[in-house]
Amino acid sequence: MRVTIAEVAQRAQVSKATVSRVLNGKPDVDAATAARVRQVIADVGYVPSARAVGLARGRARTVGMLVPSLTWPWTSEVVQGAVDEVEAEGYGLLLYTVNRGAESLAQFASHVSAKAFDGLLVIEPPDTLSYIETLHTQGLPVVMIDDRGSRPGFPSVATTNREGARDAARHLVAAGRRRFAVVTGPLTFGCVKERLDGFLDALAEQDVHVDPRLVVEGDFSTDRAAVAAEKLLGSGLPFDAVFAHNDLSALGVIRVLQAAGRAVPGDVAVVGFDDIPVAAHTELTTVRQPMREMGGTAARMLLSRLDGNALPPEPAVLPTTLVPRRSA
């Protein structure tokens, strides 16, 4: 059976509080008593609870992570990158989603109040930015992953959305494409604006311009992208390339194009963004975001903050990479 702190105290003929002070390196225990307690600990093989020691030191040795949902295709890679760094430093990780909306957020808030974790990693769920900013203002260390261009007033990790989109445009122009359509993500997201602006700017440098009627808003889902693709086909306007703002949207576009008898990439080239695992299986040309590195970078930033180091409010920006495959 596990040896308890009470047994150590009894054998050493001291109080449990004294044992706790010795475990936590407090200076207010005389040397002889501390030596006796440490000897008993060694004799009985007592191993203190890491959580108990952490709490005694004012730290839970745990990091919280708030994400919209685990069904987002790149979330698992980001989480794994964070876990790798957190566990390497002897911390645990508590993962929260908002799958049940307000109920999930209320449960998360109760854990914040209970100080269940020392700091927070966030992939911003919808409509939570002001709440997260409040937590930061109240003293909770926060690092955001994929800030979507919102540039919060605390540390964050972003990628080169604009340059990634420029790379997509250059690739399509080099492949001989001249009539372009775009299926965006939600236009309220800063990263979506960056991707659209980068794509259009790179085309303009080649004296190529996109008909505004061929820019259709999506929501990063396959189904909404399919609706957007049907709208593009229904417009009657010619296009030989589509830049979709994420891979799920690109796959939705391809599905509709092929159902309408358009060959990909023969008739229409398609480029996505993210490089989720299914992109390689479907031969989708895309712009890779370093998802695991995003999670790892954010975790290192948060752990550094927990060690007392100041971090700049400007985001750490990681580079994207174009990954050419058969779709374009």
Side-chain angles (χ1 to χ4, degrees):
M1 294 179 63
R2 184 184 179 95
V3 178
T4 67
I5 194 171
E7 292 176 61
V8 172
Q10 183 179 21
R11 287 172 178 261
Q13 298 181 330
V14 297
S15 68
K16 289 191 293 182
T18 298
V19 176
S20 179
R21 287 197 293 273
V22 171
L23 288 170
N24 289 287
K26 301 294 184 181
D28 57 346
V29 181
D30 70 79
T33 300
R36 186 168 73 251
V37 170
R38 283 193 288 268
Q39 185 60 54
V40 170
I41 288 171
D43 291 343
V44 302
Y46 173 67
V47 179
S49 160
R51 178 170 174 78
V53 172
L55 288 172
R57 293 175 176 170
R59 296 271 287 273
R61 299 291 295 181
T62 301
V63 166
M65 189 166 189
L66 179 65
V67 305
S69 171
L70 294 179
T71 61
W72 285 27
W74 54 270
T75 299
S76 61
E77 281 293 299
V78 175
V79 171
Q80 188 60 58
V83 168
D84 290 344
E85 295 294 330
V86 166
E87 290 186 346
E89 294 299 321
Y91 279 71
L93 186 138
L94 289 173
L95 183 62
Y96 303 89
T97 73
V98 292
N99 284 332
R100 293 172 288 114
E103 184 182 350
S104 295
L105 205 57
Q107 184 178 26
F108 169 75
S110 71
H111 284 221
V112 173
S113 298
K115 298 184 178 179
F117 45 84
D118 302 314
L120 181 65
L121 300 170
V122 181
I123 301 174
E124 181 194 344
D127 304 318
T128 61
L129 181 57
S130 64
Y131 171 59
I132 295 164
E133 288 176 329
T134 298
L135 295 180
H136 171 72
T137 301
Q138 293 174 345
L140 180 68
V142 177
V143 176
M144 182 175 287
I145 302 166
D146 184 20
D147 66 12
R148 301 180 192 162
S150 60
R151 301 296 184 263
F154 47 82
S156 62
V157 176
T159 56
T160 51
N161 288 294
R162 187 182 298 270
E163 190 58 35
R166 291 174 68 88
D167 288 342
R170 295 184 188 114
H171 175 79
L172 290 167
V173 169
R177 308 293 168 162
R178 289 297 180 271
R179 297 184 298 274
F180 297 90
V182 183
V183 176
T184 73
L187 291 172
T188 55
F189 287 4
C191 64
V192 169
K193 186 178 186 304
E194 289 178 351
R195 291 175 195 179
L196 181 59
D197 289 349
F199 188 75
L200 298 179
D201 287 349
L203 292 180
E205 290 172 359
Q206 302 292 323
D207 200 27
V208 176
H209 301 279
V210 177
D211 189 317
R213 293 171 294 177
L214 291 177
V215 178
V216 183
E217 184 177 4
D219 66 356
F220 287 148
S221 72
T222 302
D223 290 344
R224 181 71 177 271
V227 172
E230 289 168 355
K231 182 176 180 179
L232 292 172
L233 291 172
S235 72
L237 299 170
F239 58 93
D240 60 6
V242 177
F243 174 44
H245 277 189
N246 74 334
D247 292 343
L248 288 183
S249 295
L251 296 176
V253 168
I254 290 172
R255 184 180 73 198
V256 169
L257 290 174
Q258 292 177 334
R262 304 284 185 97
V264 177
D267 297 321
V268 183
V270 179
V271 176
F273 207 104
D274 282 340
D275 198 27
I276 61 176
V278 71
H281 295 304
T282 55
E283 291 295 329
L284 176 66
T285 295
T286 188
V287 177
R288 175 181 294 154
Q289 295 200 89
M291 292 170 281
R292 188 170 291 208
E293 187 179 350
M294 291 166 70
T297 298
R300 289 193 297 273
M301 291 170 67
L302 182 60
L303 293 173
S304 179
R305 174 69 183 83
L306 294 178
D307 283 341
N309 300 309
L311 299 177
E314 296 80 15
V317 181
L318 305 181
T320 55
T321 309
L322 181 76
V323 183
R325 297 192 181 101
R326 289 186 182 179
S327 71

